[in-house]
Amino acid sequence: MLEKEVINFERTVIVGIVTQNQNEEKLTEYLDELEFLTYTAGGEVIKRFSQKLEKPNPKTFLGTGKMEEISIYIKEKNISTVIFDDELSPSQQKNISKILDCKVLDRTNLILDIFAQRARSHEGKLQVELAQLRYNLPRLGGQGLVLSRLGGGIGTRGPGETKLEVDRRRIRERVNDITRQIEYIKKQRNLHRKRRETTRIPTIALVGYTNAGKSTLLNLLTASEVLAEDKLFATLDPTTRNITLANGQQALITDTVGFIQKLPHQLIAAFRATLEEVVQADILLHVVDVSHPQYQEQSHAVFQVLHELNVDIKQLITIFNKVDKIEDPNSVSALLKTENSVMISALHGHGIEGLLLLIENTIKQKTIEMHLLIPYNESNVIAKLYDISNVHSTEYREDGIYVSISLSPDQTNYFNRYAIGVEQE
């Protein structure tokens, strides 16, 4: 008899505040997500704490009374970790750790931990390490206060601040080293991308909130086996696969890292090389988990990141996924009024034909259909056509080779001399 896998979850409590700019309903939404993040990282949320404040306490984030309440609770319930929904300043984190005498994390720290678990590729690991180092560097100051006590007075002279400066210098050197490596990888990626551009194969990027079903959709469209779990950030490294549409059109489709509300800026900065796939894509497929109660807020968070990347004006198809989880699909049918949108279930394959047709038509809008007659003594042109266009049909006639193609507008001039019909789709 097989034994069940035993998972030892860390006992945690999570903490958030209600401010003038954030009501209780919004806090509940954030804490729900924080609880899912905690579970993904290997923690079990035992209790939630919240407090109404005009603004966070600059020293301890929460008020004195609430801090005391949490301190008593975590001692009684043997809690090992306290996670705050907002990013704590280095001094806040140091002060709270002293009061609670346990591990204190914030949302950024938690997301970085999940990213560290999920990164598989060399590039992904480098990007996570870079973000972690940039997060930890200013927090060395708290340790420095302790170390500095060794450096003053008779008989206490020692490394103290010197060690702190050595640590800081090593981190900065490592940051510079990783940055150089990521830039090199980015250049290599650009070379691969330029090769793809010479073939004029359309590129598509899957974007969306984490756990919206992007990897499941990629697996369905391309018969792949990319990891797809019901966890946040199940897939961290970008994956590119080939897809062939019904009309024979080839395209490259890339699954990218999922977005999230309050996505730390250092993560966006660290993963900018990976997110280049989004920047360079011809078409974006925005996957929305329509079964999620806050799908609209999640969509807004995605568009915020797309805006930061300056790609929110790209050609976009909205995919309302997980329609199979909705009791009454008619309740969300009005969403299809969204331009270039489709409802699907990536898990069960419902609506995929409509999605493929929408992708096909969107690509057609970005290309020009041409009918060419190539003389037999210029057959090398045929090879060029196969390299830079999508060849729909080839027919050998008495007066030459008749070819039906679609290609990008900037490629048409060279072939106009052979054209016997041009149609703008």
Side-chain angles (χ1 to χ4, degrees):
M1 185 175 177
L2 293 174
E3 293 184 3
K4 290 184 178 179
E5 182 184 2
V6 178
I7 301 175
N8 295 318
F9 287 102
E10 283 189 39
R11 291 169 61 81
T12 68
V13 298
I14 56 178
V15 183
I17 59 172
V18 178
T19 63
Q20 292 175 329
N21 301 323
Q22 179 177 288
N23 57 34
E24 291 187 25
E25 184 180 347
K26 193 68 177 174
L27 176 63
T28 300
E29 177 190 330
Y30 285 149
L31 290 183
D32 285 345
E33 186 171 84
L34 189 66
E35 183 166 346
F36 202 178
L37 284 166
T38 303
Y39 161 70
T40 300
E44 178 187 7
V45 175
I46 307 301
K47 187 176 175 63
R48 300 179 177 192
F49 287 93
S50 63
Q51 185 177 30
K52 286 185 178 180
L53 293 171
E54 286 189 13
K55 59 182 180 179
N57 185 312
K59 291 184 178 179
T60 57
F61 192 77
L62 299 174
T64 305
K66 183 60 69 174
M67 286 298 300
E68 187 176 343
E69 179 187 345
I70 296 173
S71 179
I72 293 170
Y73 182 85
I74 63 175
K75 286 179 175 63
E76 288 179 350
K77 301 297 182 181
N78 194 28
I79 302 299
S80 60
T81 308
V82 177
I83 305 174
F84 286 75
D85 186 48
D86 294 277
E87 185 168 327
L88 301 171
S89 69
S91 61
Q92 285 175 331
Q93 199 161 16
K94 172 176 167 290
N95 293 334
I96 295 168
S97 297
K98 279 185 177 180
I99 295 169
L100 299 182
D101 193 26
C102 71
K103 184 165 42 173
V104 175
L105 307 176
D106 58 21
R107 175 180 273 254
T108 301
N109 209 179
L110 180 62
I111 293 173
L112 285 171
D113 182 79
I114 295 170
F115 272 38
Q117 292 180 43
R118 297 292 178 177
R120 294 291 179 268
S121 70
H122 177 60
E123 180 184 7
K125 290 175 181 177
L126 284 175
Q127 290 174 134
V128 171
E129 185 182 353
L130 178 61
Q132 286 180 322
L133 289 172
R134 285 175 171 166
Y135 174 84
N136 288 325
L137 184 58
R139 286 163 174 77
L140 279 180
Q143 300 171 28
L145 293 174
V146 178
L147 293 171
S148 65
R149 294 173 190 158
L150 301 174
I154 297 172
T156 61
R157 294 180 178 88
E161 289 293 329
T162 304
K163 182 181 184 307
L164 177 63
E165 289 306 317
V166 168
D167 290 343
R168 282 177 172 158
R169 187 176 69 251
R170 284 175 178 167
I171 287 179
R172 291 191 184 102
E173 287 172 353
R174 181 60 180 157
V175 165
N176 291 334
D177 179 50
I178 293 173
T179 302
R180 283 193 294 269
Q181 290 187 60
I182 289 176
E183 281 302 310
Y184 176 77
I185 292 171
K186 184 178 177 180
K187 288 178 182 176
Q188 294 296 109
R189 191 187 291 275
N190 285 336
L191 285 176
H192 291 306
R193 189 178 295 116
K194 284 177 181 176
R195 291 193 194 105
R196 294 203 304 254
E197 287 172 356
T198 58
T199 64
R200 295 296 164 181
I201 298 176
T203 55
I204 302 167
L206 286 163
V207 298
Y209 209 76
T210 182
N211 206 39
K214 299 185 301 300
S215 297
T216 303
L217 180 58
L218 180 74
N219 288 340
L220 181 65
L221 293 176
T222 64
S224 302
E225 294 184 357
V226 175
L227 175 66
E229 289 184 278
D230 188 22
K231 287 186 176 182
L232 303 184
F233 304 117
T235 306
L236 182 58
D237 297 306
T239 305
T240 301
R241 295 287 184 270
N242 185 273
I243 182 173
T244 304
L245 301 173
N247 65 351
Q249 172 72 59
Q250 297 282 317
L252 292 173
I253 183 167
T254 300
D255 182 17
T256 60
V257 62
F259 301 149
I260 196 169
Q261 296 187 74
K262 298 186 182 180
L263 186 67
H265 286 282
Q266 57 261 53
L267 281 181
I268 297 176
F271 279 80
R272 194 164 290 276
T274 300
L275 293 172
E276 282 290 318
E277 295 297 331
V278 177
V279 175
Q280 299 297 332
D282 296 310
I283 301 168
L284 302 181
L285 302 186
H286 178 200
V287 183
V288 180
D289 176 3
V290 76
S291 71
H292 197 285
Q294 282 85 39
Y295 72 87
Q296 291 173 315
E297 288 83 355
Q298 292 183 349
S299 294
H300 180 66
V302 171
F303 278 110
Q304 278 186 318
V305 178
L306 294 179
H307 179 71
E308 286 192 44
L309 295 171
N310 297 316
V311 296
D312 49 340
I313 57 171
K314 278 186 178 288
Q315 192 91 36
L316 184 122
I317 294 173
T318 304
I319 302 169
F320 296 109
N321 189 27
K322 302 190 183 181
V323 69
D324 55 297
K325 289 189 174 183
I326 299 173
E327 291 184 9
D328 180 17
N330 291 326
S331 63
V332 291
S333 58
L335 292 173
L336 290 178
K337 292 179 181 177
T338 305
E339 186 180 3
N340 284 347
S341 64
V342 63
M343 281 202 179
I344 70 162
S345 166
L347 186 62
H348 300 289
H350 301 155
I352 296 304
E353 295 80 6
L355 170 60
L356 290 170
L357 183 60
L358 191 52
I359 294 173
E360 188 178 308
N361 290 336
T362 304
I363 291 175
K364 278 186 177 181
Q365 291 171 13
K366 301 175 72 66
T367 60
I368 289 177
E369 297 286 325
M370 295 186 74
H371 304 284
L372 312 178
L373 188 64
I374 312 296
Y376 282 106
N377 62 354
E378 296 186 49
S379 57
N380 62 307
V381 175
I382 300 293
K384 185 176 179 67
L385 286 173
Y386 274 100
D387 283 339
I388 67 169
S389 72
N390 188 38
V391 179
H392 302 301
S393 65
T394 303
E395 183 183 342
Y396 291 86
R397 299 178 176 178
E398 289 185 8
D399 51 349
I401 307 168
Y402 177 81
V403 187
S404 173
I405 64 167
S406 60
L407 75 172
S408 59
D410 60 340
Q411 292 287 321
T412 57
N413 287 340
Y414 179 85
F415 300 103
N416 278 337
R417 72 185 92 170
Y418 308 109
I420 55 175
V422 179
E423 180 185 352
Q424 176 76 52
E425 291 288 338

